Amino acid sequence: QNKLHRCAGPEDLVTCENILRDITSPGAQYSGEFINQMRIFYEELKEFFNAKGLEDVLQQLLNRGEPSAESVNMITKFLDAKRSGANYFDQLDLLLKVRQGFAGFMESLEDGEQLQRVRLADTQLEDYGFVLFANANQQLEHLDQSKNWAKEAWNNTLRTMILALENMALSGTLPLESTALKNDITSILQSEMDTLKERSTLLRLRAVFERASREADDFSSVVSNLYMGRVQTIAKALGVDPRAANVFAEAEIRANIVFQMSRCTSLAMKHIRMELQLPPWDVLSPGTAAGVLRHVSTLDELKEKQLGEPCVVILDTAEGDEEVPVQVVAIVLGHDLPHLSHLGVRTRQANCAFACAEEKSNYDKLLAQHRASLDTEAFVKIVIGAEGEITIEKGDKAKSKPLDNTSNGGANSSVAALEDTLAAVTIAEPNVSNKEALAFDKVDVTNGGAKSNFARHLQQIASESKGLFSTPKSMVVPYGVFDACKSAHKAEYNGLVTKFNAGSLEIKSEVSAEMRRAIVKWQIPS
């Protein structure tokens, strides 16, 4: 009970329920007081994870016949499934249908008590869905640990992702991206399950799950940026413990269905990498850094050392709830970790390069390769690439940047990287002389952009392919069209740009929406 109390996650509702069943089964010899305390804890756990109040809220809607006869029917089916202990997929299917029904009515309902009741029920359903998705991921992780990852596991993974993305869209979490991803995964589930071992299908899966991973990272960044400064200011004014303020945004991230989607994505990417024989590293935060190479069992070991220089850490284990020490500029971890774990979020916020080993054998191999550098605590340069490659080589201490111990609430906010010499990027001056749509043979990089220019090359190749493939007839809207429209509304456009540049975060959001509305109304030259 003490372990559950300190470390409980939503999936531990099932664990606690099993413990209660065992200690109250015939022949079990436990004191009445212990059983009573366990029951109290179980009720508290259900309330904490929003698994208790949901039925009361939905029952209230049933009693009132709200918001519609169709919704009442779906609520009844969902409650029957929940009370009977139906499997999580059946419950999630029904939960989604209830939420979809609510979404349509919330758009048409006026502000008032009925809208408030429906919105509260929808929020409770979303919270309970988080618990169901945690159970689904726990089952997938069990299949992973048992080395029984086959077609059934992929089927369950894709179903979990589809349901998670549909719920995210209903909650307004990057709805366009969530819907697009859901459609891609649905297509794979419906037509490509028999070709899961083929490279083309695996590459498509990889692209979809990488896109899902980016969506989770984008959500994390948006929430962190939204809350971080405000929460710390309010916490300081109210005398709230700074540690609680520092994890406020992260708590919002990890309590969202996006976290469970990210958890499922990480597991899927692990098996895709294995099947495609890709680099065996899961990169949570790519980057280049330089520092003294150190090998530690846990990050706590670094607290005992007086370190005044940047460190590249080879780390045996992490629970996921650690803080990033200020002197750490890169971490290579010996096992996998969810992308939206506390440590995963913190490394991205601190610009700390971070990768996890999918298989311990690869971590052990890395340790062996760099044992001499570890033994002498050599100064090294590490590159953790976005595609999963890691290189560690001798670094130049004289070129490293000093640590910044002040920003990001005390966390290291900049990688102490080598000042690598990068090739200059040359961007061609745009040609805005063309004010009308262009045929492909008139397009180049300066008037239509790199993508349009490449499409022109593709069309040319198609014409010379002797019917091997073809491209659709196309035209390009050149840069000059927008320039012409902008010139016709110069005062309005420049005023909005000035307002945007000078405004706060809230003002920028409002001005962006205003600018979009204005541009949509512009007359395009014909």
Side-chain angles (χ1 to χ4, degrees):
Q1 181 180 355
N2 287 335
K3 178 174 174 58
L4 278 173
H5 197 275
R6 292 195 305 271
C7 310
E11 62 272 16
D12 290 316
L13 281 168
V14 178
T15 304
C16 192
E17 187 176 350
N18 292 337
I19 292 173
L20 260 181
R21 185 179 63 247
D22 291 342
I23 66 177
T24 56
S25 62
Q29 298 180 348
Y30 293 89
S31 69
E33 181 60 22
F34 174 76
I35 293 173
N36 184 50
Q37 288 298 317
M38 198 68 196
R39 282 177 172 151
I40 292 172
F41 173 70
Y42 179 50
E43 293 302 315
E44 290 174 347
L45 200 63
K46 286 200 296 182
E47 185 173 354
F48 181 78
F49 287 114
N50 299 292
K52 181 181 180 181
L54 173 62
E55 292 190 23
D56 294 336
V57 172
L58 291 179
Q59 190 61 52
Q60 183 183 27
L61 291 179
L62 286 179
N63 295 340
R64 294 174 175 271
E66 295 176 344
S68 69
E70 184 179 355
S71 289
V72 166
N73 182 44
M74 292 310 305
I75 291 171
T76 302
K77 290 182 178 180
F78 168 73
L79 286 175
D80 288 344
K82 182 177 183 295
R83 289 163 179 165
S84 66
N87 71 65
Y88 49 81
F89 276 134
D90 289 342
Q91 291 194 56
L92 282 169
D93 283 333
L94 291 168
L95 181 147
L96 178 64
K97 290 176 182 177
V98 174
R99 292 196 68 200
Q100 287 170 335
F102 284 176
F105 278 91
M106 283 192 287
E107 291 178 359
S108 59
L109 289 174
E110 297 182 0
D111 288 339
E113 291 185 7
Q114 185 180 7
L115 178 59
Q116 184 175 347
R117 284 192 294 270
V118 175
R119 185 172 288 154
L120 175 61
D122 184 66
T123 302
Q124 292 271 24
L125 283 166
E126 181 184 11
D127 291 340
Y128 182 63
F130 182 91
V131 178
L132 294 175
F133 283 116
N135 291 337
N137 280 322
Q138 189 178 43
Q139 291 297 316
L140 291 173
E141 288 162 0
H142 176 72
L143 289 173
D144 175 51
Q145 292 165 6
S146 65
K147 308 297 182 183
N148 189 29
W149 196 268
K151 185 175 179 178
E152 179 187 357
W154 273 120
N155 183 74
N156 290 348
T157 300
L158 298 182
R159 287 185 66 190
T160 300
M161 288 292 293
I162 290 168
L163 289 164
L165 289 163
E166 287 190 293
N167 274 278
M168 287 162 54
L170 286 172
S171 300
T173 305
L174 304 175
L176 294 178
E177 181 69 0
S178 296
T179 301
L181 274 168
K182 184 265 295 184
N183 291 339
D184 278 347
I185 296 174
T186 300
S187 173
I188 295 172
L189 184 63
Q190 291 175 346
S191 62
E192 299 187 43
M193 292 303 289
D194 293 329
T195 59
L196 285 173
K197 294 292 184 179
E198 294 183 9
R199 184 173 179 81
S200 59
T201 302
L202 288 168
L203 288 172
R204 185 179 178 192
L205 281 169
R206 181 192 180 197
V208 169
F209 279 102
E210 283 182 342
R211 185 175 175 183
S213 181
R214 289 194 296 271
E215 181 180 22
D217 291 344
D218 289 346
F219 174 80
S220 175
S221 298
V222 167
V223 174
S224 296
N225 294 336
L226 178 65
Y227 284 121
M228 190 59 69
R230 296 177 178 85
V231 169
Q232 290 175 340
T233 301
I234 295 172
K236 184 176 180 180
L238 297 178
V240 175
D241 187 339
R243 289 172 296 181
N246 285 338
V247 300
F248 181 87
E250 183 207 332
E252 288 296 307
I253 294 167
R254 298 187 67 193
N256 195 285
I257 289 174
V258 176
F259 174 76
Q260 299 298 345
M261 185 273 284
S262 171
R263 187 175 163 189
C264 186
T265 297
S266 297
L267 194 56
M269 284 301 298
K270 171 183 176 180
H271 287 275
I272 291 170
R273 277 191 292 272
M274 290 170 60
E275 291 288 344
L276 290 173
Q277 298 181 347
L278 298 174
W281 301 98
D282 184 15
V283 177
L284 279 70
S285 179
T288 300
V292 175
L293 188 64
R294 297 182 185 276
H295 175 213
V296 295
S297 296
T298 67
L299 288 176
D300 286 340
E301 292 183 23
L302 295 176
K303 296 178 182 178
E304 302 169 4
K305 302 177 185 291
Q306 297 297 322
L307 303 173
E309 53 191 353
C311 296
V312 173
V313 176
I314 310 297
L315 180 63
D316 289 342
T317 62
E319 294 295 327
D321 58 358
E322 296 87 347
E323 295 290 340
V324 182
V326 67
Q327 63 269 38
V328 174
V329 295
I331 299 173
V332 178
L333 180 61
H335 57 82
D336 58 356
L337 199 70
H339 278 228
L340 295 187
S341 63
H342 178 84
L343 184 59
V345 172
R346 278 292 192 239
T347 52
R348 282 190 290 275
Q349 290 174 340
N351 294 326
C352 173
F354 187 22
C356 302
E358 292 290 4
E359 295 292 338
K360 191 173 185 304
S361 59
N362 296 296
Y363 178 74
D364 293 339
K365 183 178 179 181
L366 184 90
L367 278 176
Q369 283 179 334
H370 301 284
R371 176 53 59 193
S373 296
L374 288 165
D375 290 342
T376 59
E377 294 189 344
F379 195 90
V380 301
K381 170 188 173 182
I382 183 171
V383 178
I384 298 179
E387 294 298 317
E389 66 280 359
I390 296 178
T391 59
I392 300 176
E393 57 189 38
K394 183 178 179 181
D396 187 347
K397 192 173 184 178
K399 292 184 178 180
S400 67
K401 297 178 183 179
L403 288 172
D404 177 2
N405 295 347
T406 59
S407 60
N408 197 25
N412 176 22
S413 65
S414 63
V415 176
L418 291 176
E419 295 179 323
D420 297 317
T421 302
L422 300 177
V425 176
T426 302
I427 301 177
E429 187 70 24
N431 176 2
V432 296
S433 61
N434 299 287
K435 309 299 183 183
E436 298 179 353
L438 296 176
F440 258 5
D441 60 351
K442 305 290 186 183
V443 174
D444 57 33
V445 173
T446 62
N447 61 21
K451 290 182 180 178
S452 297
N453 188 49
F454 183 80
R456 176 179 64 81
H457 282 298
L458 189 63
Q459 187 181 65
Q460 183 179 351
I461 294 170
S463 67
E464 299 170 356
S465 70
K466 298 180 179 179
L468 182 63
F469 73 99
S470 61
T471 57
K473 292 182 179 179
S474 306
M475 299 189 77
V476 173
V477 178
Y479 292 142
V481 169
F482 178 77
D483 189 68
C485 292
K486 186 177 68 173
S487 298
H489 302 81
K490 188 173 182 179
E492 178 188 23
Y493 180 77
N494 289 343
L496 289 170
V497 170
T498 301
K499 189 176 177 182
F500 179 89
N501 290 335
S504 63
L505 188 62
E506 290 85 357
I507 294 297
K508 288 181 189 297
S509 178
E510 294 173 5
V511 175
S512 296
E514 187 178 350
M515 189 178 291
R516 282 193 294 271
R517 288 193 295 270
I519 291 174
V520 166
K521 295 178 182 177
W522 290 357
Q523 185 66 41
I524 305 297
S526 58

